[in-house]
Amino acid sequence: MPTAREALLRSALAALAELPWSAIRMVDVASGAGVSRQTLYNEFGSKDGLARALMRREADRYLHGVERLLGERADAADRLVAVAEWTVGEARARPLLRALLTGCWGEWLPAPPPARAATATSAVPAQRRADAGPPGTADLVALVRDRSAAALRQDPRDQSQRDHGPRDPGRPDPGRPDRGQRDRDRDELLYRCELAVRLALAHLIAPGAESVGPLVRTAVTAPLRAPLRAPLSAPSPRAGAR
């Protein structure tokens, strides 16, 4: 049986499928969840608080799905393709997720509120800290990129140790990448992971005749023609906290 909080979020999402956010009444959301209006206000504080919690729920569900797909396949390209194709399909079926991923908010949806700085000493339980707001589009891209890279990355030192066994520290190891090469490998992996996400979002906004999968596979497996200095975008300041 869902908690009162989860029941309220489900009720709000169901109401949003029938009415624009501006026309949804808190009393109707509470009634749909089978709880009192006071319980709703105790959980979210206001209609804006409910909207922020609803957006964060959609973002969290999406990120959980990304992590599930990243753990299912062994091949790196297969995993990035799976995430891209699933992202397009989920966002088409879930308008709130589509808005979070693209930044395109219509009048039907709640307006994205400005994010507030989270305080580490907050006494409010984490599940009720809806006032921090949902991650923005750039944050979601960075989150998916970084989680994809973490799932695909292998520590070169561990790999070298497995392949070559113990090494005399006084002798150079030609098979062990130097720090510069490790940094280049890391930047390339982040670049390819972010490229896969951005291609999915581009396909979502301007759909092609075919699935985004082949395009992503080509992009993440093709050799790079120029050395990279950094990923496409900098790490999100909020990504590290999620």
Side-chain angles (χ1 to χ4, degrees):
M1 183 175 180
T3 63
R5 182 182 180 86
E6 181 61 23
L8 286 164
L9 289 171
R10 291 181 184 179
S11 177
L13 194 60
L16 191 57
E18 302 292 335
L19 295 169
W21 184 253
S22 60
I24 294 175
R25 301 189 307 166
M26 296 287 270
V27 64
D28 295 330
V29 173
S31 177
V35 302
S36 68
R37 186 171 61 172
Q38 186 59 49
T39 298
L40 190 157
Y41 281 103
N42 288 343
E43 287 288 343
F44 304 106
S46 65
K47 189 176 182 180
D48 285 344
L50 174 61
R52 288 190 292 269
L54 196 59
M55 294 180 215
R56 289 191 63 173
R57 177 180 182 268
E58 283 293 281
D60 288 344
R61 286 184 59 195
Y62 169 66
L63 292 172
H64 288 324
V66 168
E67 291 180 340
R68 174 181 57 81
L69 290 169
L70 289 171
E72 284 184 353
R73 293 167 173 79
D75 181 78
D78 285 347
R79 284 190 262 184
L80 294 178
V81 167
V83 169
E85 291 182 331
W86 182 80
T87 293
V88 172
E90 286 293 294
R92 285 176 177 170
R94 293 157 55 187
L96 194 53
L97 175 61
R98 178 188 175 99
L100 285 167
L101 286 169
T102 63
C104 300
W105 296 83
E107 295 181 357
W108 194 275
L109 300 174
R116 302 179 187 178
T119 56
T121 58
S122 172
V124 179
Q127 66 178 10
R128 297 185 183 180
R129 283 203 294 270
D131 61 338
T137 299
D139 290 325
L140 276 176
V141 169
L143 284 164
V144 176
R145 177 200 65 199
D146 293 346
R147 293 184 187 198
S148 299
L152 301 178
R153 186 182 295 119
Q154 293 182 344
D155 191 331
R157 292 169 299 180
D158 291 345
Q159 184 65 48
S160 177
Q161 186 73 10
R162 288 192 297 268
D163 291 347
H164 303 291
R167 181 178 64 88
D168 181 354
R171 298 178 58 189
D173 183 357
R176 185 184 300 271
D178 60 21
R179 181 169 182 174
Q181 183 60 51
R182 290 198 300 269
D183 289 345
R184 289 189 291 273
D185 290 344
R186 178 204 61 206
D187 288 346
E188 179 177 340
L189 179 59
L190 288 169
Y191 181 92
R192 293 184 186 278
C193 289
E194 183 167 345
L195 186 58
V197 182
R198 292 190 177 277
L199 285 173
L201 299 187
H203 194 83
L204 179 61
I205 295 173
E210 300 180 355
S211 163
V212 72
L215 181 61
V216 170
R217 185 177 298 278
T218 298
V220 301
T221 58
L224 298 176
R225 299 186 173 218
L228 295 174
R229 294 179 179 268
L232 292 173
S233 61
S236 166
R238 298 173 64 190
R242 295 179 181 271

